[in-house]
Amino acid sequence: MASDSPRRPSRSTGVIVVRPQAVTEQSYMESVVTFLQDVVPQAYTGAPPTEEKEKIVWVRFEKADLNDVSRNPEFLEMQSTGNDPPLLLMIGYTDGMQIWSIPISGEAQELFSVRHGPVRTARLLPSPQISPSKIDSFPDKRPLLCVCKSTGSSSTSTPYCCVELYSIRTGEMVKSIQFKTSIYDLHCNERILVVVLQEKIAAFDSCTFTKKFFVTSCYPCPGPNMNPIALGSIWLAYAENKLIRCHQSRGGACGDNAQSYTASVISAAKTLKTGLTMVGKVVTQLAGTLPSGTAEDEMSAHSSTRRSPLIPGIVTIIDIETVAEGQVTVSEDSDGDGIVAHFPAHEKPIACMAFNPSGMLLVTTDTLGHDFHVFQILTHPWSSSQSAVHHLYTLHRGETEAKVQDICFSHDSRWVVVSTLRGTSHVFPINPYGGQPCVRTHMSPCVVNRMSRFQKSAGLEEIEQELTSKQVGGRCSPVPGLSSSPSGSPLHAKLNSQEMYSNFTNNNMGNPRLSPLPSLTVILPLAQIKQPMTLGTITKRTGKAKPAPQISPSKSAGGEFCIAATFASSRSWYTLNPGLKREKDQSKQSVVDSLYIISCYGNLVEHVLEPRPISTAQKISDDTPLEMVTSPRASWTLIRTPQWNELQPPINSNHPLLLASDTVQYYQFLLAGLNPPGSPGPITRHESYDSLASDHSGQEDEEWLSQVEIVTHTGPHRRLWMGPQFQFKTIHPSGQTTVISSSSSVLQSHGPSDTPQPLMDFDTDDLDLNSLRIQPVRSDPVSMPGSSSRALSDRRGVSMVIDANSDL
């Protein structure tokens, strides 16, 4: 194999390294030829046989110790120099799995590869969060790999019903968890491991892997996610099978969105098709060519579905730290401990959902795949019924049905990418606080405030609130200029008149959990990135809509389609400019990170996203709408071939996964006030962590640094009283204490008898600032103009008054 081939690995250092390749028209032609060689029989083409590739079942971008910036201080130093942590990619095959690392240099490195039968899902567990009362039971075995294989160690008859935890360091199995039913997915963070069954959820402690809590009231979904959940840092969201009014949060989805004409026609056609099919089966049964009972069973199943007491589209969010151990029940008799929010999200069953990096936004989709809802979760310490769920956005994909498989956020939560089994990734712009995306909010590398400086100084928010408060039953938008959403949603709880009055009186600024709730904004995708079918082609797209292909990738591939996406910094700089240094390449900061997409064809593609003002705008302003131009820049061929050797544990001590796990565990021990078992090697800034651990390890009541003053901003260039509208004068009192009020027009003096007397004999002289030596009490943020070194001993006991003119 040639080491410089774009589709072949090279074993220069004992591991497989794949370099990125620029996307050109030549690569497009090569992919067409490859497709013809794979599909057309070799006897007809006469072409040499191509290298066989293994079939990919699932793909996933993983977050573990290797790329966790918040828990690994080494990456904080890397970011200060312009570097980012690597991407961690997991690929599941029909026989085994594979783990890749794509660092900032762009050279993908294989970290793990085994062949031990079909794997439904797998997770690389991060190091657990420990404390003096919560110790890790497997510190010398980490990192751990959680795998759900077709046949477990117990060799039970039911496939995919066992979770096994393997040590990547030693290769031994440290834990095996058996279930009676099949497992569909795994989720994990530094606190818990979540095992997803068809209608149940089981959570295990990340330190001991003992059962912590479980949920049995999940609403099933037909697929591809049989039981969709979303796991954040401290919250867990799942689909509930019923709506309990006493636990229902304020807000949620608006159920009065009008269906478009196209969607109505498509729905009517599907209903007609279902009816004709059922009639045909009944006629066929009467003719005697169909087994009896088939039509009745389907009709009874259809009618039972209509009469089902379960309610689809309900979301429940629980706090994994405060929820009680055992079964989590949401009912009228339960007290609701640990329940953060409980609200309706869709009218159809939920198919997929995901939290943003901060955990405050939740995106949900239903089985139709027409619209995706973005909710802002505002919790309340008392109960979930006092929490508020703001429906900020409805991301409209289209009128045809599609199954959503992956949802990802950008790091600043200004972009959302939703990928469907049709092979299309839809890019939507949003704001973490709601409102219409525009040039001001999405054309800068950083998140901007909700209101611009012009809106603040002009007082537009107060005018908007006054107009809204006069409208009975209206809804107040957090962003000025937004139109009010449709009123009267049946899914929203009604408030009494006293609560509505108090909320209008407070202008909804003190408590955002009270109605009126923010208005809804409908967003269309700025870009639709279509994944190639089996051609392996990459086409450039813009924000304009284009017709979708007639054959979906799932049908053309001959199996189930899978796709995953994530945002990260560009890793193709070395491919485009081999002689350019990284610092020079990053001098021009991009507005949005690159989008990385991988599908079941094994090609990881980096897409560059370039938002810009819409081209049809005559004048560009802050409120100008956006459009986006997307272009593929580089690709990595990561699919495994049968000829590749396995890379399985035990592995070397200098392996990237082991080094990252040791570093995170070391700092976790120090932050918890415990003695680490050993140093993982050269660690920077350990002196500060040692001092923190030694000073406060034995004092549980001293968990914070006292008497520490932090300067968060510099002083103003000029103080307010230094302006020309202020005049300084001296007052010569006659042995009395003077009280001067700037709001009153008559000066009053208080003598020993405490009776106010008119102050008529005061003499005021103009005071020269140059003759004063003004010394601040605590600090001197700015230098005072015309400060004199003369002492003011002769002016002791002389009072001074500051007179502000009316033009202030």
Side-chain angles (χ1 to χ4, degrees), residues 716-764:
H717 179 68
R718 189 190 69 176
R719 297 295 182 180
L720 181 62
W721 53 267
M722 297 170 63
Q725 63 270 35
F726 286 92
Q727 295 181 2
F728 294 86
K729 298 181 180 181
T730 58
I731 300 177
H732 306 284
S734 58
Q736 294 179 344
T737 303
T738 305
V739 178
I740 303 176
S741 175
S742 59
S743 61
S744 61
S745 58
V746 179
L747 298 178
Q748 301 290 335
S749 65
H750 294 261
S753 60
D754 295 335
T755 56
Q757 300 176 1
L759 185 61
M760 304 298 296
D761 56 348
F762 270 47
D763 298 331
T764 59

XYZ file of all heavy atoms in Angstrom, residues 716-764:
384
model
N -13.460 54.040 34.636
C -13.871 54.844 33.472
C -12.821 55.888 33.142
O -11.995 56.270 33.973
C -15.189 55.475 33.937
C -15.083 55.513 35.424
C -14.307 54.308 35.827
N -12.890 56.312 31.905
C -11.947 57.328 31.467
C -12.183 58.653 32.175
O -11.240 59.411 32.436
C -12.058 57.505 29.954
C -11.136 58.551 29.403
N -9.768 58.401 29.385
C -11.390 59.776 28.870
C -9.208 59.480 28.854
N -10.172 60.324 28.532
N -13.424 58.950 32.501
C -13.765 60.192 33.177
C -14.931 59.945 34.100
O -15.932 59.344 33.716
C -14.136 61.280 32.153
C -14.289 62.670 32.757
C -14.890 63.644 31.761
N -16.281 63.323 31.486
C -17.080 64.053 30.705
N -16.593 65.111 30.100
N -18.335 63.706 30.513
N -14.789 60.402 35.339
C -15.879 60.259 36.284
C -17.032 61.181 35.920
O -16.846 62.192 35.232
C -15.385 60.586 37.698
C -14.306 59.649 38.213
C -14.825 58.245 38.384
N -13.818 57.339 38.910
C -14.001 56.049 39.153
N -15.180 55.508 38.905
N -13.036 55.303 39.628
N -18.235 60.815 36.405
C -19.412 61.604 36.059
C -19.315 63.014 36.630
O -19.698 63.988 35.976
C -20.672 60.898 36.579
C -22.004 61.587 36.283
C -22.234 61.668 34.791
C -23.145 60.840 36.960
N -18.793 63.135 37.851
C -18.738 64.459 38.470
C -17.629 65.320 37.874
O -17.492 66.490 38.225
C -18.541 64.340 39.974
C -17.365 63.473 40.371
C -17.392 62.153 40.649
C -16.017 63.900 40.526
N -16.147 61.697 40.975
C -15.272 62.763 40.915
C -15.334 65.114 40.387
C -13.915 62.809 41.148
C -13.972 65.154 40.626
C -13.266 64.014 41.002
N -16.838 64.795 36.977
C -15.777 65.573 36.332
C -16.262 66.262 35.068
O -15.477 66.897 34.367
C -14.594 64.664 35.994
C -13.934 64.050 37.230
S -12.720 62.768 36.839
C -11.533 63.749 35.925
N -17.554 66.123 34.760
C -18.089 66.754 33.573
C -18.286 68.249 33.730
O -18.249 68.793 34.846
N -18.522 68.952 32.630
C -18.669 70.422 32.704
C -19.976 70.872 33.337
O -20.126 72.043 33.670
C -18.581 70.837 31.240
C -19.058 69.646 30.481
C -18.600 68.454 31.246
N -20.957 69.966 33.510
C -22.224 70.381 34.081
C -22.204 70.443 35.600
O -23.188 70.808 36.220
C -23.339 69.427 33.637
C -23.167 68.000 34.113
C -22.389 67.159 33.126
O -21.485 67.665 32.474
N -22.766 65.896 32.986
N -21.100 70.078 36.228
C -20.980 70.133 37.681
C -20.142 71.359 38.083
O -19.153 71.687 37.418
C -20.309 68.862 38.213
C -21.198 67.663 38.177
C -21.213 66.817 37.081
C -22.053 67.375 39.233
C -22.032 65.720 37.040
C -22.870 66.269 39.205
C -22.876 65.438 38.110
N -20.547 72.011 39.178
C -19.824 73.144 39.755
C -19.552 72.870 41.226
O -20.423 72.369 41.942
C -20.634 74.447 39.623
C -20.854 74.886 38.180
C -21.626 76.162 38.084
O -21.970 76.757 39.122
N -21.890 76.608 36.870
N -18.373 73.196 41.687
C -17.960 72.962 43.062
C -17.870 74.319 43.783
O -17.220 75.244 43.286
C -16.608 72.245 43.110
C -16.658 70.855 42.550
C -16.499 70.612 41.195
C -16.898 69.779 43.397
C -16.550 69.347 40.681
C -16.944 68.495 42.884
C -16.779 68.267 41.532
N -18.528 74.427 44.936
C -18.546 75.654 45.726
C -18.279 75.328 47.187
O -18.562 74.221 47.651
C -19.891 76.383 45.584
C -20.203 76.823 44.158
C -21.521 77.559 44.082
C -21.803 77.988 42.645
N -23.085 78.738 42.547
N -17.755 76.327 47.910
C -17.515 76.170 49.346
C -18.624 76.835 50.132
O -19.211 77.831 49.702
C -16.166 76.791 49.738
O -16.172 78.171 49.362
C -15.025 76.077 49.032
N -18.911 76.268 51.281
C -19.954 76.787 52.158
C -19.309 77.129 53.491
O -18.556 76.325 54.053
C -21.079 75.763 52.346
C -21.708 75.412 50.994
C -22.142 76.277 53.313
C -22.771 74.373 51.067
N -19.598 78.321 53.988
C -19.056 78.779 55.266
C -20.168 78.741 56.304
O -20.938 79.699 56.443
C -18.505 80.200 55.138
C -17.497 80.324 54.024
N -16.210 79.849 54.130
C -17.599 80.878 52.783
C -15.548 80.102 53.011
N -16.388 80.722 52.177
N -20.316 77.667 57.044
C -21.386 77.600 58.054
C -20.987 78.357 59.309
O -19.827 78.619 59.571
C -21.525 76.102 58.324
C -20.151 75.574 58.059
C -19.554 76.423 56.959
N -21.984 78.663 60.110
C -21.754 79.402 61.353
C -21.939 78.458 62.542
O -22.879 78.578 63.318
C -22.716 80.591 61.458
O -24.049 80.129 61.400
N -21.062 77.437 62.635
C -21.077 76.524 63.780
C -22.220 75.550 63.784
O -22.623 75.090 64.846
N -22.827 75.288 62.623
C -23.945 74.362 62.569
C -23.664 73.309 61.515
O -22.968 73.554 60.536
C -25.242 75.104 62.217
C -25.696 76.089 63.291
C -26.963 76.789 62.868
O -27.326 76.764 61.701
N -27.636 77.412 63.826
N -24.231 72.131 61.750
C -24.104 71.042 60.780
C -25.134 71.242 59.679
O -26.326 71.415 59.949
C -24.344 69.691 61.459
O -23.425 69.561 62.542
C -24.154 68.560 60.471
N -24.680 71.233 58.446
C -25.529 71.550 57.308
C -25.931 70.272 56.583
O -25.087 69.414 56.320
C -24.802 72.481 56.336
O -24.364 73.625 57.076
C -25.720 72.906 55.216
N -27.199 70.149 56.278
C -27.719 69.050 55.482
C -28.250 69.636 54.198
O -29.161 70.473 54.220
C -28.831 68.277 56.223
C -29.379 67.172 55.345
C -28.299 67.719 57.535
N -27.662 69.246 53.100
C -28.010 69.826 51.798
C -28.593 68.734 50.928
O -28.011 67.660 50.798
C -26.779 70.457 51.122
C -26.180 71.522 52.049
C -27.131 71.045 49.781
C -24.907 72.117 51.510
N -29.729 68.963 50.331
C -30.378 68.024 49.427
C -30.391 68.620 48.039
O -30.774 69.773 47.858
C -31.802 67.719 49.898
O -32.466 66.908 48.970
N -29.948 67.825 47.076
C -29.912 68.332 45.707
C -31.281 68.408 45.077
O -31.472 69.077 44.070
C -29.010 67.424 44.848
O -29.515 66.101 44.866
N -32.266 67.709 45.671
C -33.610 67.719 45.086
C -34.469 68.860 45.601
O -35.486 69.195 44.991
C -34.306 66.376 45.371
O -34.419 66.183 46.769
N -34.115 69.460 46.726
C -34.928 70.543 47.288
C -34.399 71.888 46.837
O -33.215 72.046 46.570
C -34.923 70.448 48.811
O -33.610 70.592 49.313
N -35.293 72.856 46.792
C -34.908 74.196 46.360
C -34.543 75.107 47.535
O -33.980 76.178 47.348
C -36.050 74.845 45.559
O -37.222 74.880 46.366
N -34.887 74.714 48.733
C -34.611 75.528 49.909
C -33.648 74.752 50.785
O -33.886 73.586 51.113
C -35.899 75.838 50.687
C -35.576 76.665 51.931
C -36.872 76.577 49.792
N -32.541 75.356 51.159
C -31.563 74.722 52.018
C -31.994 74.873 53.458
O -32.396 75.955 53.901
C -30.179 75.345 51.797
C -29.600 75.203 50.387
C -28.253 75.907 50.312
C -29.473 73.756 50.001
N -31.937 73.799 54.190
C -32.325 73.795 55.595
C -31.107 73.477 56.444
O -30.248 72.710 56.037
C -33.417 72.736 55.853
C -34.672 72.935 55.031
C -35.449 74.146 55.470
O -35.327 74.567 56.616
N -36.233 74.718 54.577
N -31.027 74.031 57.637
C -29.945 73.758 58.583
C -30.542 73.224 59.864
O -31.621 73.650 60.284
C -29.130 75.031 58.854
O -29.926 75.995 59.503
N -29.836 72.309 60.482
C -30.291 71.699 61.720
C -29.348 72.105 62.836
O -28.134 71.873 62.753
C -30.329 70.172 61.584
C -31.362 69.727 60.602
N -32.605 69.275 60.983
C -31.344 69.693 59.244
C -33.299 68.948 59.923
N -32.557 69.193 58.845
N -29.882 72.717 63.853
C -29.093 73.106 64.999
C -29.201 72.095 66.108
O -29.695 70.989 65.945
N -28.783 72.505 67.271
C -28.871 71.569 68.398
C -30.288 71.215 68.766
O -30.553 70.142 69.298
C -28.154 72.323 69.529
C -27.284 73.333 68.824
C -28.037 73.721 67.607
N -31.241 72.116 68.512
C -32.636 71.837 68.865
C -33.348 70.974 67.845
O -34.521 70.669 68.012
C -33.394 73.163 69.016
O -33.343 73.875 67.787
N -32.639 70.572 66.769
C -33.199 69.730 65.718
C -34.418 70.342 65.073
O -35.323 69.655 64.616
C -33.574 68.340 66.258
C -32.344 67.579 66.714
O -31.249 67.884 66.193
O -32.494 66.680 67.569
N -34.500 71.683 65.052
C -35.600 72.352 64.372
C -35.066 72.953 63.092
O -34.032 73.637 63.092
C -36.185 73.461 65.246
O -35.139 74.373 65.608
C -36.797 72.854 66.525
N -35.688 72.689 61.977
C -35.191 73.236 60.707
C -35.319 74.749 60.673
O -36.334 75.324 61.057
C -36.103 72.566 59.669
C -37.334 72.181 60.412
C -36.912 71.889 61.815
N -34.260 75.393 60.272
C -34.229 76.837 60.149
C -33.749 77.206 58.765
O -32.882 76.531 58.204
C -33.282 77.442 61.200
C -33.691 77.130 62.643
C -32.679 77.668 63.637
O -31.689 78.280 63.236
N -32.949 77.450 64.920
N -34.314 78.303 58.241
C -33.853 78.710 56.906
C -32.398 79.144 56.955
O -31.965 79.854 57.856
C -34.775 79.884 56.554
C -35.933 79.758 57.489
C -35.430 79.123 58.736
N -31.681 78.671 55.980
C -30.261 79.005 55.884
C -30.125 80.161 54.916
O -30.079 79.997 53.723
C -29.473 77.788 55.388
C -27.954 77.924 55.353
C -27.437 78.172 56.763
C -27.328 76.691 54.745
N -30.080 81.415 55.491
C -30.045 82.616 54.668
C -28.701 83.327 54.734
O -28.430 84.203 53.915
C -31.150 83.580 55.130
C -32.551 82.961 55.117
S -33.084 82.448 53.486
C -33.129 84.043 52.680
N -27.856 82.992 55.725
C -26.626 83.743 55.884
C -25.405 82.975 55.379
O -24.303 83.200 55.840
C -26.414 84.097 57.352
C -26.420 82.857 58.236
O -26.823 81.789 57.720
O -26.019 82.961 59.414
N -25.628 82.063 54.434
C -24.507 81.284 53.903
C -23.856 82.049 52.763
O -24.530 82.632 51.915
C -24.995 79.915 53.402
C -24.948 78.869 54.471
C -25.440 79.132 55.738
C -24.410 77.630 54.221
C -25.399 78.184 56.714
C -24.359 76.666 55.213
C -24.854 76.943 56.464
N -22.553 82.009 52.755
C -21.793 82.606 51.650
C -21.188 81.474 50.841
O -20.530 80.572 51.376
C -20.683 83.518 52.183
C -21.253 84.688 52.977
O -22.389 85.084 52.664
O -20.553 85.157 53.901
N -21.419 81.537 49.541
C -20.876 80.523 48.631
C -19.897 81.181 47.699
O -20.174 82.215 47.098
C -22.004 79.873 47.808
O -22.672 80.878 47.057
C -23.008 79.166 48.724
